[in-house]
Amino acid sequence: MASLLQRVKSKMAIYAHRKARGMLDGEYGSVFRGRSLDFDDLRAYVPGDEVRDIDWKASARHGSPLIRRYVAVRRQTVLLVTDTGRNMAAVAKSGEAKKDIAVLTLGVLGYLAHRHGDVVGLVCGDSSITRSLPAKGGEQHLERLLRHVDAHTTLDGAPSRIQDQLQHVARNVKGRHLLFVVADELPADAATGQLLRRLRAQHEILWLTVRDADLAPSGMEPADSHGTADAAGTGDSYSVADSALLAWQPAASAAVAAAYATAVAQRDADRKAMLRAAGITEGEVAASDDVITGLFALLERHRRAG
């Protein structure tokens, strides 16, 4: 099997030119690199850097703004938390399998962590089981984590329930970590909101949602938001949660389509409000092509919020 991490590196090379990759790398560093009083080096200012980090004397000598960087206080522990339930084996908005987008996203963030000397661990699972792999460094370890997610996200698995993985973190993970959560479109409720606030009090949290497919996208073979197109090409879909057939034809009705769009917008608004109330920065991706720009925007929003 081809290396999943190599796919991550290839995607980064294809969809982010050298300057953009450098900005993504710098964004990660500016957000999560520990601070101490020990000066490390200077680098060129890029839009979005904190003004307080500008070394004005060095900038005057150099003729352009330079940013001070400091030695990390300690190595960061990054914990990838993801959903490997069968909901994540369904179709994303782009028509790709959600798990392929999730693996790419986890790989990009994990690779950034590796480049900065951070260690990376994994908590993943579904409604029946939660698995945990300890945090370590190195590309081989990151490859194992990505393969674990890829191998355990199947249509034969149990339904998704990211709350179970978050509960596992709350019960078992000591100390302060960076949690990078990649999940399906999480419905908001009071219990989940309380759990998220509890986790945020201890950890730094970034959340990335992989968007569902449209109920009836334009074209001949629509796929349900939690389903997959009929292999026979009939255009029907089924729910991966309970295998129920989901006929798409009613969405041809303007009234039904409008009601569905309203319900989706309300669900999104409720999720965003729940995460915002917990102090968690959220981003969204709908396709593998969105991952680099989506992750950069997520890191930038988190830095500005913090």
Side-chain angles (χ1 to χ4, degrees):
M1 178 185 288
S3 166
L4 294 176
L5 184 55
Q6 189 57 47
R7 293 183 195 174
V8 169
K9 293 179 181 179
S10 297
K11 191 69 81 170
M12 290 178 73
I14 292 170
Y15 291 103
H17 56 72
R18 186 172 183 177
K19 182 177 180 181
R21 288 201 305 274
M23 290 177 67
L24 180 62
D25 192 69
E27 195 69 37
Y28 178 94
S30 66
V31 173
F32 301 117
R33 195 176 192 188
R35 260 183 203 277
S36 73
L37 297 178
D38 298 325
F39 172 73
D40 185 6
D41 62 7
L42 296 167
R43 67 165 174 81
Y45 172 89
V46 296
D49 282 335
E50 295 288 343
V51 174
R52 65 184 179 181
D53 290 335
I54 295 177
D55 186 318
W56 295 105
K57 290 183 179 180
S59 297
R61 291 193 299 269
H62 187 262
S64 62
L66 296 175
I67 295 294
R68 276 183 171 268
R69 297 198 297 186
Y70 299 85
V71 177
V73 174
R74 61 180 174 80
R75 186 163 54 175
Q76 175 94 351
T77 298
V78 177
L79 193 58
L80 307 177
V81 182
T82 195
D83 172 5
T84 55
R86 63 175 178 250
N87 295 47
M88 289 295 281
V91 176
K93 202 163 191 174
S94 63
E96 303 165 89
K98 288 185 185 179
K99 79 167 183 176
D100 292 341
I101 300 172
V103 166
L104 175 60
T105 305
L106 294 167
V108 172
L109 196 285
Y111 185 61
L112 288 173
H114 161 70
R115 283 175 53 84
H116 283 262
D118 295 336
V119 293
V120 184
L122 173 69
V123 172
C124 65
D126 50 40
S127 59
S128 67
I129 188 171
T130 295
R131 303 176 179 88
S132 177
L133 281 72
K136 297 180 182 179
E139 291 192 10
Q140 289 186 344
H141 174 67
L142 181 55
E143 175 72 22
R144 284 194 293 272
L145 300 188
L146 299 181
R147 285 185 180 275
H148 189 89
V149 173
D150 183 68
H152 287 89
T153 310
T154 68
L155 291 171
D156 297 329
S160 299
R161 183 171 163 76
I162 193 66
Q163 293 92 332
D164 289 355
Q165 286 70 63
L166 296 173
Q167 285 283 9
H168 175 90
V169 173
R171 289 193 303 265
N172 299 288
V173 176
K174 308 302 180 184
R176 184 174 179 83
H177 299 328
L178 164 63
L179 307 186
F180 181 54
V181 184
V182 177
D184 193 19
E185 295 187 359
L186 180 70
D189 61 69
T192 302
Q194 183 177 10
L195 173 60
L196 292 173
R197 290 191 294 273
R198 175 185 171 189
L199 286 167
R200 181 63 184 88
Q202 180 180 351
H203 304 287
E204 197 92 9
I205 304 177
L206 289 173
W207 192 288
L208 193 133
T209 297
V210 181
R211 295 306 307 267
D212 289 336
D214 292 330
L215 175 65
S218 58
M220 296 303 295
E221 297 184 21
D224 176 73
S225 59
H226 278 181
T228 183
D230 187 340
T234 62
D236 286 333
S237 304
Y238 67 91
S239 168
V240 298
D242 58 11
S243 298
L245 183 66
L246 297 166
W248 64 271
Q249 289 88 345
S253 161
V256 172
Y260 174 75
T262 299
V264 169
Q266 185 61 57
R267 181 186 62 189
D268 289 348
D270 291 344
R271 182 185 69 253
K272 292 177 186 298
M274 178 179 69
L275 292 168
R276 187 167 56 250
I280 296 172
T281 308
E282 183 196 19
E284 297 178 350
V285 290
S288 59
D289 290 0
D290 299 341
V291 168
I292 301 298
T293 54
L295 191 53
F296 180 84
L298 176 63
L299 290 170
E300 186 175 29
R301 283 199 301 274
H302 185 76
R303 175 177 58 79
R304 293 184 181 279

